[in-house]
Amino acid sequence: MSTELKIFSICLDASIVDAMQKIDENKKGFLIVMDNEVVVGTLTDGDIRRAIINGHSPQSNISDIFVHDFTYVKSTDSFNHIIELFKDTKVKFIPIVDDEMRLCNVITKSNLHTLLLQDIPYDAFYPFNVLDDSLLEHEIYPRPWGYYKTTLLNKYCQCKIIRVNPHGVLSLQLHHKRDEQWIIVHGKGVVQIGDEIFEARPGYSFTIPRETIHRLRNSSDSESLIIAEVQMGEYFGEDDIIRIEDEYGRTNC
């Protein structure tokens, strides 16, 4: 077993306190229970909490509390099979084993999402623990006109949900390194692309090539204007927003 996998495994004869310490070290909330080199079950921090509540001593053996009936896949199973298993909301991680039930790898639901969204080909022996699962977590960023939240970011594109407050207006701007597609989801407004002005209503979509000035305005007195934005190009940083005009006094910095 590789060193990387040892942080996820624990021997069948270990104590509950040993398991607690190991879960604290791996920061994943679970362990794979091993009898010699064979995977025999799983153990989560939730299993441990329930055991202690039910009167088990922290010094008692994990053999009394680990889960025998657990979800696993073989290293030869397809990626589609793994996707199907993760549709069960109770399944947060899956041991990957060989034909002798020896541990080959462990994949978590966050790993699965990161593989899909970052377009990384599945390999049962891929070092999933090196994946940056924080890429799945995006903050909501406030702006003078409203806010935006990134929903997807990879090397091909960035997708955002943008909400513009009543009478809010994005700066007149352009981008050097990306094209954009806007889809109006809710509300009404006005879109400027180049020298042309368009009405914006739910279901309308607009293509904005790079180097083209554009702006979005919410024309409602009371309703938010919500759009889905898809950026395509080689760079998606906020410093590729070149502001021509801005009602809030912002610059390109």
Side-chain angles (χ1 to χ4, degrees):
M1 185 190 307
S2 68
T3 303
E4 291 78 10
L5 288 178
K6 286 181 179 179
I7 64 171
F8 297 112
S9 65
I10 192 165
C11 296
L12 183 60
D13 59 359
S15 68
I16 291 177
V17 72
D18 291 335
M20 293 168 64
Q21 290 172 345
K22 202 151 194 182
I23 285 177
D24 185 60
E25 290 171 5
N26 71 29
K27 310 297 184 186
K28 296 296 184 180
F30 67 84
L31 291 168
I32 311 302
V33 181
M34 311 286 293
D35 185 3
N36 292 319
E37 295 295 317
V38 176
V39 176
V40 294
T42 61
L43 183 67
T44 68
D45 49 4
D47 297 326
I48 292 173
R49 285 196 303 272
R50 285 185 288 273
I52 292 176
I53 289 171
N54 290 329
H56 287 268
S57 165
Q59 304 303 325
S60 60
N61 195 280
I62 65 169
S63 60
D64 297 328
I65 68 169
F66 79 92
V67 176
H68 299 257
D69 183 17
F70 62 100
T71 299
Y72 67 91
V73 296
K74 296 290 186 69
S75 58
T76 53
D77 286 341
S78 70
F79 190 40
N80 285 340
H81 179 52
I82 293 174
I83 292 173
E84 287 299 315
L85 291 175
F86 273 126
K87 286 182 178 179
D88 183 343
T89 57
K90 295 180 181 179
V91 177
K92 306 298 183 184
F93 64 94
I94 300 176
I96 302 173
V97 300
D98 64 15
D99 289 337
E100 283 74 44
M101 291 298 292
R102 291 175 299 195
L103 187 63
C104 299
N105 213 338
V106 182
I107 184 170
T108 68
K109 184 170 286 189
S110 293
N111 294 157
L112 170 75
H113 289 183
T114 302
L115 286 177
L116 290 170
L117 297 180
Q118 298 300 316
D119 193 34
I120 300 172
Y122 171 72
D123 180 339
F125 298 94
Y126 187 90
F128 299 119
N129 59 307
V130 305
L131 292 174
D132 183 4
D133 292 340
S134 68
L135 294 172
L136 303 176
E137 303 169 4
H138 298 287
E139 298 293 331
I140 294 175
Y141 291 95
R143 291 294 184 263
W145 42 259
Y147 73 79
Y148 78 85
K149 177 179 174 63
T150 295
T151 58
L152 170 63
L153 175 61
N154 61 29
K155 60 185 176 182
Y156 306 117
C157 69
Q158 177 170 216
C159 301
K160 293 180 177 180
I161 293 295
I162 296 174
R163 191 191 78 174
V164 186
N165 296 329
H167 295 298
V169 55
L170 278 64
S171 58
L172 182 65
Q173 59 185 253
L174 60 82
H175 313 292
H176 294 311
K177 299 179 180 179
R178 66 178 185 251
D179 309 311
E180 293 181 343
Q181 186 80 24
W182 287 352
I183 301 172
I184 310 302
V185 177
H186 173 79
K188 61 182 181 179
V190 176
V191 171
Q192 177 181 348
I193 302 175
D195 295 328
E196 296 187 84
I197 305 295
F198 304 93
E199 180 185 23
R201 290 189 177 276
Y204 289 18
S205 64
F206 303 92
T207 299
I208 305 163
R210 66 190 69 190
E211 306 292 350
T212 303
I213 60 170
H214 56 283
R215 175 157 48 191
L216 176 66
R217 182 185 298 273
N218 184 348
S219 57
S220 172
D221 294 327
S222 57
E223 284 194 318
S224 296
L225 174 62
I226 300 175
I227 73 166
E229 177 181 273
V230 180
Q231 303 173 359
M232 295 161 289
E234 61 268 18
Y235 180 70
F236 309 112
E238 291 293 289
D239 54 351
D240 189 34
I241 298 176
I242 311 303
R243 294 189 176 95
I244 313 302
E245 297 175 3
D246 185 73
E247 294 194 5
Y248 309 102
R250 294 173 298 166
T251 67
N252 292 333
C253 301

